[in-house]
Amino acid sequence: MALNTDSQKVCLLDNNAMLIITRTDLSHQSRQVFIQSIQTIISKRYQIGKLPIPLAANVGIASFPEHGDSSHVILNRAQQALNQASFSQHRWSTFELESYHKTEYLLKLAADIKNAIENDEFEIYHQPQIDLKTNRVCGSESLIRWQHATEGFIAPPLII
């Protein structure tokens, strides 16, 4: 697929990110073929003098109007998909609203931690460890619990 037609543009965003804008409605299969062709071209061995340069491409996808109605929202959501792509086996990802809401929620909790400390919303519990042979306490584990002012109990894995 040529990238120099009137319906497509290639932009350099920074030193290691390019943006491809296309108006073509790609089916899931042709989108995959398009992405694989980009990854294949990028992954070819490049050499400067005798130094081989290994390159790879992660791809993040956001679509208009499905994922946003303005250029800055689409660009932001494509960047979020790009971040997810680094964890994907195929090295590409499409923006997912559910993942976005989870990230937004986690960022809100992170921002709320300062207030939680100031408002004594954290509680420490000591959980005894019992030796089942002797039925005696042989140790203790300290646990932290967060009772958020508006969200209620926050599960320990979310705090960590």
PDB file of all heavy atoms in Angstrom, residues 7-19:
ATOM      1  N   SER A   7      -4.859  10.368   0.193  1.00  0.00           N
ATOM      2  CA  SER A   7      -5.637   9.962   1.366  1.00  0.00           C
ATOM      3  C   SER A   7      -4.764   9.513   2.535  1.00  0.00           C
ATOM      4  O   SER A   7      -5.281   9.114   3.553  1.00  0.00           O
ATOM      5  CB  SER A   7      -6.607   8.841   0.992  1.00  0.00           C
ATOM      6  OG  SER A   7      -5.882   7.697   0.596  1.00  0.00           O
ATOM      7  N   GLN A   8      -3.454   9.597   2.394  1.00  0.00           N
ATOM      8  CA  GLN A   8      -2.570   9.138   3.457  1.00  0.00           C
ATOM      9  C   GLN A   8      -1.445  10.133   3.693  1.00  0.00           C
ATOM     10  O   GLN A   8      -0.977  10.785   2.770  1.00  0.00           O
ATOM     11  CB  GLN A   8      -1.971   7.779   3.103  1.00  0.00           C
ATOM     12  CG  GLN A   8      -3.020   6.715   2.973  1.00  0.00           C
ATOM     13  CD  GLN A   8      -2.414   5.381   2.578  1.00  0.00           C
ATOM     14  OE1 GLN A   8      -1.233   5.296   2.305  1.00  0.00           O
ATOM     15  NE2 GLN A   8      -3.231   4.361   2.559  1.00  0.00           N
ATOM     16  N   LYS A   9      -1.040  10.232   4.945  1.00  0.00           N
ATOM     17  CA  LYS A   9       0.064  11.112   5.318  1.00  0.00           C
ATOM     18  C   LYS A   9       0.948  10.380   6.312  1.00  0.00           C
ATOM     19  O   LYS A   9       0.474   9.582   7.114  1.00  0.00           O
ATOM     20  CB  LYS A   9      -0.444  12.390   5.984  1.00  0.00           C
ATOM     21  CG  LYS A   9      -1.445  13.181   5.176  1.00  0.00           C
ATOM     22  CD  LYS A   9      -0.807  13.808   3.968  1.00  0.00           C
ATOM     23  CE  LYS A   9      -1.856  14.625   3.224  1.00  0.00           C
ATOM     24  NZ  LYS A   9      -1.750  14.566   1.807  1.00  0.00           N
ATOM     25  N   VAL A  10       2.237  10.657   6.287  1.00  0.00           N
ATOM     26  CA  VAL A  10       3.191  10.124   7.253  1.00  0.00           C
ATOM     27  C   VAL A  10       3.824  11.318   7.950  1.00  0.00           C
ATOM     28  O   VAL A  10       4.289  12.249   7.300  1.00  0.00           O
ATOM     29  CB  VAL A  10       4.285   9.268   6.568  1.00  0.00           C
ATOM     30  CG1 VAL A  10       5.300   8.781   7.591  1.00  0.00           C
ATOM     31  CG2 VAL A  10       3.660   8.108   5.828  1.00  0.00           C
ATOM     32  N   CYS A  11       3.810  11.290   9.288  1.00  0.00           N
ATOM     33  CA  CYS A  11       4.360  12.386  10.078  1.00  0.00           C
ATOM     34  C   CYS A  11       5.347  11.842  11.082  1.00  0.00           C
ATOM     35  O   CYS A  11       5.109  10.799  11.685  1.00  0.00           O
ATOM     36  CB  CYS A  11       3.248  13.096  10.855  1.00  0.00           C
ATOM     37  SG  CYS A  11       1.871  13.634   9.856  1.00  0.00           S
ATOM     38  N   LEU A  12       6.447  12.534  11.281  1.00  0.00           N
ATOM     39  CA  LEU A  12       7.404  12.191  12.319  1.00  0.00           C
ATOM     40  C   LEU A  12       6.985  12.922  13.595  1.00  0.00           C
ATOM     41  O   LEU A  12       6.896  14.143  13.615  1.00  0.00           O
ATOM     42  CB  LEU A  12       8.816  12.614  11.906  1.00  0.00           C
ATOM     43  CG  LEU A  12       9.923  12.305  12.898  1.00  0.00           C
ATOM     44  CD1 LEU A  12      10.089  10.791  13.058  1.00  0.00           C
ATOM     45  CD2 LEU A  12      11.225  12.926  12.438  1.00  0.00           C
ATOM     46  N   LEU A  13       6.667  12.153  14.648  1.00  0.00           N
ATOM     47  CA  LEU A  13       6.237  12.762  15.913  1.00  0.00           C
ATOM     48  C   LEU A  13       7.412  13.106  16.804  1.00  0.00           C
ATOM     49  O   LEU A  13       7.461  14.158  17.413  1.00  0.00           O
ATOM     50  CB  LEU A  13       5.287  11.826  16.665  1.00  0.00           C
ATOM     51  CG  LEU A  13       3.951  11.555  15.992  1.00  0.00           C
ATOM     52  CD1 LEU A  13       3.135  10.592  16.820  1.00  0.00           C
ATOM     53  CD2 LEU A  13       3.187  12.849  15.775  1.00  0.00           C
ATOM     54  N   ASP A  14       8.354  12.186  16.920  1.00  0.00           N
ATOM     55  CA  ASP A  14       9.581  12.438  17.671  1.00  0.00           C
ATOM     56  C   ASP A  14      10.645  11.479  17.145  1.00  0.00           C
ATOM     57  O   ASP A  14      10.465  10.862  16.107  1.00  0.00           O
ATOM     58  CB  ASP A  14       9.377  12.334  19.189  1.00  0.00           C
ATOM     59  CG  ASP A  14       8.935  10.948  19.654  1.00  0.00           C
ATOM     60  OD1 ASP A  14       9.290   9.948  19.003  1.00  0.00           O
ATOM     61  OD2 ASP A  14       8.239  10.868  20.681  1.00  0.00           O
ATOM     62  N   ASN A  15      11.748  11.338  17.872  1.00  0.00           N
ATOM     63  CA  ASN A  15      12.871  10.552  17.371  1.00  0.00           C
ATOM     64  C   ASN A  15      12.549   9.091  17.102  1.00  0.00           C
ATOM     65  O   ASN A  15      13.215   8.449  16.308  1.00  0.00           O
ATOM     66  CB  ASN A  15      14.040  10.629  18.349  1.00  0.00           C
ATOM     67  CG  ASN A  15      14.682  11.990  18.330  1.00  0.00           C
ATOM     68  OD1 ASN A  15      14.571  12.726  17.354  1.00  0.00           O
ATOM     69  ND2 ASN A  15      15.344  12.350  19.410  1.00  0.00           N
ATOM     70  N   ASN A  16      11.549   8.546  17.772  1.00  0.00           N
ATOM     71  CA  ASN A  16      11.263   7.130  17.568  1.00  0.00           C
ATOM     72  C   ASN A  16       9.784   6.843  17.322  1.00  0.00           C
ATOM     73  O   ASN A  16       9.331   5.735  17.559  1.00  0.00           O
ATOM     74  CB  ASN A  16      11.774   6.300  18.754  1.00  0.00           C
ATOM     75  CG  ASN A  16      11.071   6.668  20.045  1.00  0.00           C
ATOM     76  OD1 ASN A  16      10.257   7.571  20.077  1.00  0.00           O
ATOM     77  ND2 ASN A  16      11.399   5.965  21.100  1.00  0.00           N
ATOM     78  N   ALA A  17       9.032   7.829  16.867  1.00  0.00           N
ATOM     79  CA  ALA A  17       7.608   7.601  16.614  1.00  0.00           C
ATOM     80  C   ALA A  17       7.168   8.305  15.341  1.00  0.00           C
ATOM     81  O   ALA A  17       7.459   9.479  15.131  1.00  0.00           O
ATOM     82  CB  ALA A  17       6.778   8.083  17.795  1.00  0.00           C
ATOM     83  N   MET A  18       6.477   7.545  14.510  1.00  0.00           N
ATOM     84  CA  MET A  18       5.882   8.090  13.292  1.00  0.00           C
ATOM     85  C   MET A  18       4.376   7.893  13.376  1.00  0.00           C
ATOM     86  O   MET A  18       3.894   6.974  14.014  1.00  0.00           O
ATOM     87  CB  MET A  18       6.399   7.369  12.050  1.00  0.00           C
ATOM     88  CG  MET A  18       7.806   7.705  11.709  1.00  0.00           C
ATOM     89  SD  MET A  18       8.408   6.978  10.147  1.00  0.00           S
ATOM     90  CE  MET A  18       7.147   5.918   9.582  1.00  0.00           C
ATOM     91  N   LEU A  19       3.664   8.758  12.715  1.00  0.00           N
ATOM     92  CA  LEU A  19       2.220   8.684  12.663  1.00  0.00           C
ATOM     93  C   LEU A  19       1.813   8.493  11.212  1.00  0.00           C
ATOM     94  O   LEU A  19       2.287   9.220  10.338  1.00  0.00           O
ATOM     95  CB  LEU A  19       1.625   9.985  13.222  1.00  0.00           C
ATOM     96  CG  LEU A  19       0.137  10.196  13.049  1.00  0.00           C
ATOM     97  CD1 LEU A  19      -0.630   9.204  13.917  1.00  0.00           C
ATOM     98  CD2 LEU A  19      -0.228  11.628  13.427  1.00  0.00           C
TER      99      LEU A  19
END
